[in-house]
Amino acid sequence: MRTRGHGEPDYQVQGCSGKPLSVGEIEVAPPKAHEVQIKIFATAVCHTDTYTLSGADPEGCFPVILGHEGAGIGVTKLKAECKFCLNPETNLCQKMKVTQGKGLMPDGTSRFTCKGETILHYMGTSTFSECTVVADISVAKIDSLAPLDKVCLLGCGISTGYAAAVNTAKVEPGSVCAIFGLGGVGLAVMGGKVAGASWNHWANEFGATECINPQDFSKPIQEVLTEMTDVGVDYSFESALEACHKGWDISIVVGVAASGEEIATRPFQLVTGHTWKGTKVSQSWCLNIGPKKIKVDEFVTHNPSFDEISEAFELMHSGKSIRSVVKI
């Protein structure tokens, strides 16, 4: 483990729009008021990182240190103070929204430099680094016994999917669920299983009763699901409103979309009782996830080294990994 103090170089993975990641050294400035320095021990690679790196992210700013599924050590006491953190429905923090989208700390500056050049922050975290500085409202305290190379996954993908089922949809026992996509978020919607759903569409290892390939059918997949369930599913995840049961269903749109993308439906779909909702990672932190309730270890399929982080992106693009966790 390489360690660096204030003013000394720290290793990080830097991203520039449309270009490969590069590993180099940066200077990490000391934290200011209401900021904390975190020594990162593990970070996972998420599709959101590659989405920003591609240049499609409308809020993408460069050069930047990517990474937002991280775990480390650096603070022992936290206190929730803003109305979003205190509200049980969400903690979509508005305090940092403007500056975070610009890759800056709340005071409008960065704590990272490389050879005199300012390097920007990412999603208020920048976990592709041995050391990072974040606002005090951007960290969450965890159990001291939690393994950092596993708990880092709760920073985004797992908690986003799990909370989509438990917090946003509030899946009820005996209900019928369909999950579209078998990535980290889709598999994590297995939270529906915890809530008692009886028919789920996710990978068998994570509790699916059936897995359906749309390419096996000549008709639209929503028609297939409607026929299989007689009248449609009670809950669907990642849109698919027309696959749902009219009158009481909930269809959840999860995560982010490419710049300029839109979704649409006919008014008839809503006036007949369909419900369309959205969720992202910020809706998940009010969860109290116990180790017996949700799989975590099973998501980790690869453990590349810090220098091999680009290979983790390749594994993700090829569909050969669920989550790669880099031990820093």
Side-chain angles (χ1 to χ4, degrees):
M1 176 62 66
R2 299 179 291 248
T3 58
R4 301 290 190 277
H6 293 319
E8 295 181 349
D10 183 85
Y11 284 90
Q12 49 80 43
V13 178
Q14 182 177 320
C16 291
S17 179
K19 298 181 180 179
L21 292 169
S22 61
V23 179
E25 293 184 353
I26 58 168
E27 297 286 333
V28 181
K32 297 183 180 181
H34 295 288
E35 298 176 1
V36 294
Q37 180 172 298
I38 304 292
K39 181 65 179 176
I40 300 294
F41 281 84
T43 184
V45 176
C46 175
H47 272 93
T48 306
D49 298 307
T50 192
Y51 166 63
T52 298
L53 188 62
S54 71
D57 185 351
E59 291 190 344
C61 301
F62 301 92
V64 65
I65 300 175
L66 296 171
H68 60 285
E69 290 189 351
I73 296 176
V75 62
T76 58
K77 294 183 179 180
L78 293 172
K79 182 181 179 181
E81 296 181 343
C82 78
K83 64 180 180 180
F84 288 95
C85 291
L86 294 172
N87 191 298
E89 295 298 322
T90 185
N91 60 350
L92 276 169
C93 182
Q94 298 299 299
K95 273 190 172 183
M96 294 182 59
K97 185 176 181 180
V98 175
T99 54
Q100 183 172 301
K102 296 177 180 178
L104 301 171
M105 298 294 287
D107 71 348
T109 63
S110 171
R111 301 294 165 265
F112 304 134
T113 56
C114 180
K115 299 178 181 179
E117 179 185 9
T118 296
I119 307 298
L120 299 174
H121 296 251
Y122 182 64
M123 295 183 72
T125 52
S126 290
T127 60
F128 289 177
S129 178
E130 289 186 327
C131 178
T132 189
V133 174
V134 303
D136 55 4
I137 55 177
S138 294
V139 294
K141 185 178 179 180
I142 61 174
D143 192 309
S144 60
L145 298 178
L148 298 180
D149 61 334
K150 300 297 190 303
V151 78
C152 63
L153 297 173
L154 302 182
C156 178
I158 293 181
S159 53
T160 297
Y162 185 93
V166 177
N167 279 5
T168 306
K170 295 180 173 61
V171 173
E172 297 180 348
S175 57
V176 177
C177 299
I179 294 94
F180 290 75
L182 297 178
V185 172
L187 292 175
V189 183
M190 63 184 176
K193 182 180 180 182
V194 174
S198 61
W199 184 91
N200 303 272
H201 179 52
W202 52 66
N204 294 117
E205 181 181 349
F206 288 84
T209 56
E210 296 192 50
C211 286
I212 303 168
N213 185 348
Q215 295 180 348
D216 294 337
F217 302 90
S218 59
K219 62 180 67 176
I221 191 63
Q222 63 267 27
E223 294 182 17
V224 175
L225 291 174
T226 299
E227 291 176 2
M228 291 180 64
T229 58
D230 187 30
V231 287
V233 301
D234 299 307
Y235 302 93
S236 71
F237 297 88
E238 287 296 7
S239 194
L241 188 68
E242 293 184 14
C244 294
H245 191 301
K246 65 181 179 181
W248 62 69
D249 66 284
I250 300 178
S251 182
I252 309 294
V253 180
V254 186
V256 297
S259 176
E261 285 195 2
E262 297 182 355
I263 57 175
T265 191
R266 294 170 295 146
F268 177 78
Q269 295 292 340
L270 301 179
V271 298
T272 53
H274 292 293
T275 300
W276 218 355
K277 301 182 72 173
T279 187
K280 61 185 295 187
V281 67
S282 298
Q283 267 91 333
S284 67
W285 285 116
C286 40
L287 284 172
N288 182 13
I289 301 176
K292 294 182 180 180
K293 285 189 175 183
I294 186 170
K295 293 177 183 288
V296 175
D297 294 11
E298 291 82 355
F299 279 82
V300 182
T301 54
H302 297 80
N303 288 113
S305 68
F306 200 30
D307 294 333
E308 297 171 332
I309 196 166
S310 291
E311 296 179 20
F313 276 77
E314 293 173 5
L315 289 167
M316 179 173 58
H317 287 308
S318 65
K320 295 179 180 178
S321 70
I322 301 176
R323 276 292 190 270
S324 292
V325 173
V326 179
K327 296 181 181 180
I328 300 177

